[in-house]
Amino acid sequence: MDAVSASLDDLPLRSDLRGQMPYGAPQAPLPVALNVNENTHPVPEEVADDILDSVAHALREVNRYPDREFTALREGFADYLGHGLTADHIWAGNGSNEVLQHLLQAFGGPGRTAFGFAPTYSMYPLLTRGTGAEYVSGTRGVDYTLSAESAAEQIADAAPDVTFLCAPNNPTGTPLGVDVIEAVYDATDGIVIVDEAYQEFAPRDSRSALTLLPGRERLVVSRTMSKAFAFAGARVGYLAADPALIDALRLVRLPYHLSALTQAAATAALRHAPEMLAMVDEIVGQRDRISATLDALGYHPYESWTNFVLFSDVDDPAATWQALYEQGVLIRDIGLPRSLRVTAGTEAESTAFLDALASLGPGGAHGVTEERG
Ligand SMILES: *Cc1c(COP(=O)(O)O)cnc(C)c1O
């Protein structure tokens, strides 16, 4: 085709989508990729074999539509989560992003608002606006923490239809107490979504929002297999909530939205939850080593209950990101002042990052100031 291709401006695009930017974490084939909080450990060999058998089995019936209710998978998630949950309390989708989209399709949409405490997961505004709802950002306190009083006050003022609480928070790693979740729930008549994408990396004795579900029919706890389960490429996310709320999601999902292959793979992986999660402790160890070393190098690492570390006191984040890139290490510049975010990888990957950063000297790399004549 040699005709000049059209631009977005030439298309009859929805006016509320004009000027928006798509999600765009760089996907570069670098030796050390620590930029999107994946679990960098591969699925263990024996588990991979069992998953493959299940997928092969499902493939023989792939001429038929899959179980629309993905019953076996919902039972698997209920067993995994515990807390007395049954399949009736569970929903799943192609990544927790799709699960969040279902929630917004049911409870957001035109004329409604969704709310998150900035900085938080960059997909909340994109998913919200995708349904035609408005996204409102609240604020956090010192070191990106959020107190029950401040959160409840902001929610009472904004009166959103949907509130996102990312616990622990991405991109900052910040823990969120259940007292904050309770206070927010009491301050709104809307849906409260607690996104526990990183819960498995939190201290073992920390309380999950799952413990708050009984008697709170507007509360949703979402999880993903992308991080702790090393299953990002399979695209499987899920949530737990009151069975009535699950019925609301049936109104907006596409029929048969979870393929038979996805259901088979995820159900098999869940049967091996302990082996799949075996690397979590190792990753938590690397996370804590990264934080300690960053501190020793003169940076400010924020407290993290996740598989990544946000750190500040970077003189020139763009120049440092670029200098690491040139050494084959990909991390994330999430646009926070003087800050960068790195995922905890294997021991070797984490060392490669720390060595590369140390080689840049105090404060990281500095941009070349252009000479002006
Ligand atoms: C990674 C992440 C997700 C998970 O996304 P998937 O679609 O399940 O891969 C959800 N929420 C947050 C805050 C995340 O960081």
Side-chain angles (χ1 to χ4, degrees):
M1 286 222 308
D2 37 51
V4 179
S5 67
S7 79
L8 279 185
D9 290 339
D10 302 323
L11 298 172
L13 185 67
R14 270 165 43 188
S15 58
D16 60 312
L17 293 180
R18 287 194 189 279
Q20 305 244 349
M21 297 297 287
Y23 177 82
Q27 282 197 302
L30 291 200
V32 181
L34 302 174
N35 65 325
V36 286
N37 302 340
E38 292 152 335
N39 185 329
T40 67
H41 298 260
V43 172
E45 194 67 32
E46 329 77 65
V47 181
D49 286 344
D50 193 38
I51 295 173
L52 213 51
D53 285 349
S54 295
V55 171
H57 194 78
L59 200 55
R60 292 188 210 289
E61 291 176 23
V62 87
N63 55 310
R64 301 288 185 184
Y65 282 111
D67 173 10
R68 201 170 46 218
E69 288 293 315
F70 45 102
T71 314
L73 181 57
R74 280 164 49 226
E75 283 166 357
F77 282 130
D79 283 351
Y80 169 68
L81 290 178
H83 295 281
L85 295 166
T86 64
D88 294 346
H89 298 93
I90 304 293
W91 189 247
N94 295 282
S96 62
N97 272 274
E98 188 181 51
V99 164
L100 298 177
Q101 184 177 54
H102 287 164
L103 287 163
L104 287 160
Q105 285 175 317
F107 300 105
R112 295 196 164 198
T113 56
F115 187 105
F117 293 92
T120 192
Y121 188 41
S122 63
M123 283 306 299
Y124 299 154
L126 278 171
L127 291 165
T128 298
R129 292 178 190 135
T131 71
E134 190 193 340
Y135 186 81
V136 179
S137 281
T139 58
R140 291 170 179 269
V142 67
D143 279 356
Y144 304 119
T145 56
L146 189 58
S147 72
E149 301 71 40
S150 165
E153 198 179 298
Q154 293 184 58
I155 291 300
D157 280 353
D161 299 285
V162 176
T163 301
F164 289 104
L165 294 172
C166 194
N169 188 48
N170 183 9
T172 61
T174 321
L176 187 81
V178 285
D179 59 318
V180 184
I181 300 165
E182 285 178 290
V184 165
Y185 189 87
D186 292 341
T188 175
D189 295 329
I191 297 292
V192 176
I193 304 171
V194 183
D195 183 347
E196 290 192 344
Y198 299 96
Q199 180 62 28
E200 284 92 345
F201 300 101
R204 285 280 156 78
D205 57 0
S206 67
R207 226 178 115 189
S208 162
L210 292 170
T211 59
L212 298 177
L213 282 175
R216 291 187 178 85
E217 71 284 351
R218 295 176 287 108
L219 184 64
V220 181
V221 183
S222 78
R223 296 274 188 108
T224 179
M225 293 185 80
S226 293
K227 311 288 162 59
F229 270 91
F231 226 47
R235 310 304 301 124
V236 188
Y238 56 105
L239 63 74
D242 190 274
L245 191 139
I246 307 296
D247 278 340
L249 305 180
R250 290 190 170 90
L251 300 173
V252 296
R253 61 96 172 271
L254 295 174
Y256 317 107
H257 69 285
L258 271 183
S259 87
L261 305 184
T262 302
Q263 292 185 42
T267 307
L270 275 177
R271 284 199 299 269
H272 295 276
E275 298 107 290
M276 295 290 282
L277 293 170
M279 286 302 164
V280 164
D281 290 343
E282 159 72 14
I283 294 165
V284 165
Q286 295 306 321
R287 174 198 74 200
D288 292 343
R289 178 171 74 103
I290 290 172
S291 295
T293 311
L294 285 169
D295 187 56
L297 290 172
Y299 296 98
H300 173 60
Y302 292 86
E303 181 181 16
S304 171
W305 279 17
T306 62
N307 67 342
F308 59 84
V309 179
L310 178 75
F311 59 104
S312 65
D313 293 358
V314 182
D315 290 343
D316 185 340
T320 300
W321 184 90
Q322 187 65 39
L324 292 171
Y325 186 99
E326 277 151 24
Q327 295 195 44
V329 178
L330 183 60
I331 66 167
R332 191 82 179 269
D333 181 352
I334 26 100
L336 290 176
R338 305 191 73 219
S339 301
L340 289 167
R341 190 194 72 186
V342 62
T343 307
T346 61
E347 181 172 9
E349 289 166 333
S350 303
T351 300
F353 158 71
L354 291 168
D355 288 353
L357 186 67
S359 77
L360 303 178
H366 297 86
V368 187
T369 317
E370 274 177 48
E371 295 227 7
R372 284 163 203 270

